[in-house]
Amino acid sequence: ALVSDNSSDAKNAAVNMGEAIGKVNMKLLTDNNHHIMWMEASKSLKNQLKTISTETDIEKQRTAFSSLSDILTNVVKSLGADVGEKELYNEFCPMANDNEGGYWLSFDKQIKNPYLGQKMLKCGSVKETITK
């Protein structure tokens, strides 16, 4: 949705992701450290998703997305992610966040930049491939 510069779709996607986070089976997190990490991360994810789902300014949505992306990437790298046969890419745009840079996860190796949207859709590069 952010790639397409669509604030309304970003709101809907945030609501859907929040619902999915609420359905995570905590029984799968048998390691106490992982459990604690997920509890903290899920709270932070939900806060960023709330901002995205209630905000109408796409740039403010993108700012919340940046934090959400950092948290989610940390969770995936720490706890893993079962993505089936797909590959998960950690992608980076050096111009995001006022040239401080920003990362995002994608199943598509072709860059589709959520920070700059249609004005610079292909700005960025794949930094790593993450497996489960």
Side-chain angles (χ1 to χ4, degrees):
L2 295 175
V3 167
S4 301
D5 299 325
N6 191 319
S7 175
S8 180
D9 284 352
K11 286 181 174 191
N12 293 335
V15 169
N16 291 339
M17 186 174 178
E19 290 172 358
I21 288 172
K23 294 178 183 176
V24 168
N25 184 352
M26 298 299 293
K27 292 179 183 176
L28 297 175
L29 299 170
T30 56
D31 180 286
N32 192 47
N33 290 331
H34 290 169
H35 180 86
I36 292 169
M37 178 193 182
W38 172 250
M39 293 302 293
E40 291 172 359
S42 65
K43 182 178 179 181
S44 296
L45 288 168
K46 288 176 185 176
N47 286 337
Q48 298 308 318
L49 289 166
K50 181 178 180 183
T51 298
I52 295 168
S53 68
T54 58
E55 186 58 61
T56 57
D57 182 319
I58 197 159
E59 295 309 318
K60 290 180 181 175
Q61 288 176 316
R62 286 183 167 127
T63 298
F65 170 78
S66 182
S67 295
L68 180 139
S69 184
D70 290 345
I71 297 162
L72 188 59
T73 299
N74 186 41
V75 167
V76 168
K77 287 183 174 184
S78 298
L79 302 180
D82 186 353
V83 295
E85 298 298 315
K86 297 179 182 180
E87 291 192 342
L88 185 60
Y89 302 99
N90 192 20
E91 300 176 342
F92 178 75
C93 171
M95 296 175 67
N97 301 315
D98 294 323
N99 293 316
E100 290 183 21
Y103 288 89
W104 71 95
L105 297 174
S106 178
F107 288 119
D108 192 347
K109 192 172 186 177
Q110 181 180 1
I111 299 297
K112 294 178 184 171
N113 190 316
Y115 292 103
L116 302 176
Q118 296 301 301
K119 65 183 172 187
M120 292 191 73
L121 183 63
K122 296 181 180 181
C123 180
S125 61
V126 174
K127 289 299 183 182
E128 66 182 316
T129 301
I130 302 171
T131 58
K132 62 179 178 175

